[in-house]
Amino acid sequence: MIRRAVPEDVSAITAMIYELAEHQRARDKCTVTDDQIDDALFGPQPSTFAHVATNDDDRVVGIAVWFRNFSTWDGTHGIYLEDLFVSPSERGSGHGKALLATLAKECVDNGYTRLSWSVVNWNKPSIAFYESLDAHPQDEWTTYRLTGDPLGRLASEVD
């Protein structure tokens, strides 16, 4: 079953984010806390949203954490899927596809024009899965990121 996340799901979502970080070989870079996830999803000004996949025992076995973005070219919002993760023991059961289908419906129902996400280049099983849904890589774009000291140095240039 796919449903919107509720506050009682926060610990499970946080745990799955750590599982995802481990899967992506970057566990040491993941520092998120339950309080941060709770505030992002359910605080006074939620900036992030989540859906969860549950098994027959109502245990969270998959997550889709997302936020709205905006296309200046289309003049409409879209969804950026930050994290999609299904527990390894539950893969192949349709949870990932159901989560993506739910986000696609969220887009269609709200007039959003796109659903976007990133995948690490070495994750061939996920890439094959996404392409089986007729998703296409945006390989003419390169993602850039500023963090840590470089972010601080650039910010210090503002008076």
Side-chain angles (χ1 to χ4, degrees):
M1 178 175 101
I2 307 300
R3 61 173 171 75
R4 283 266 186 158
V6 295
E8 293 78 19
D9 296 324
V10 166
S11 291
I13 292 168
T14 304
M16 293 202 89
I17 291 168
Y18 276 90
E19 279 189 71
L20 173 61
E22 182 76 29
H23 175 72
Q24 291 184 345
R25 307 169 188 161
R27 169 59 181 82
D28 60 316
K29 292 180 175 63
C30 189
T31 61
V32 71
T33 66
D34 284 352
D35 287 342
Q36 290 171 310
I37 295 298
D38 186 64
D39 188 55
L41 295 174
F42 305 108
Q45 295 181 317
S47 58
T48 307
F49 308 92
H51 285 78
V52 296
T54 59
N55 64 8
D56 293 337
D57 299 328
D58 202 35
R59 184 174 58 87
V60 174
V61 296
I63 60 169
V65 179
W66 57 276
F67 55 89
R68 290 187 325 161
N69 57 15
F70 184 78
S71 169
T72 55
W73 289 18
D74 293 343
T76 60
H77 286 286
I79 287 178
Y80 185 82
L81 176 59
E82 180 66 23
D83 287 334
L84 176 70
F85 186 76
V86 175
S87 294
S89 64
E90 298 288 334
R91 292 185 187 150
S93 299
H95 298 300
K97 185 175 183 181
L99 284 163
L100 284 172
T102 299
L103 294 186
K105 184 167 177 17
E106 185 91 22
C107 287
V108 170
D109 288 352
N110 288 289
Y112 302 162
T113 57
R114 55 180 76 168
L115 171 58
S116 306
W117 63 91
S118 298
V119 60
V120 290
N121 293 332
W122 54 260
N123 192 343
K124 302 301 182 198
S126 291
I127 292 168
F129 166 63
Y130 299 143
E131 290 179 352
S132 78
L133 300 175
D134 210 19
H136 302 283
Q138 301 295 296
D139 50 9
E140 67 273 11
W141 295 88
T142 299
T143 302
Y144 283 84
R145 178 178 295 160
L146 276 172
T147 61
D149 290 340
L151 179 66
R153 280 194 304 276
L154 184 59
S156 70
E157 294 184 18
V158 177
D159 295 329

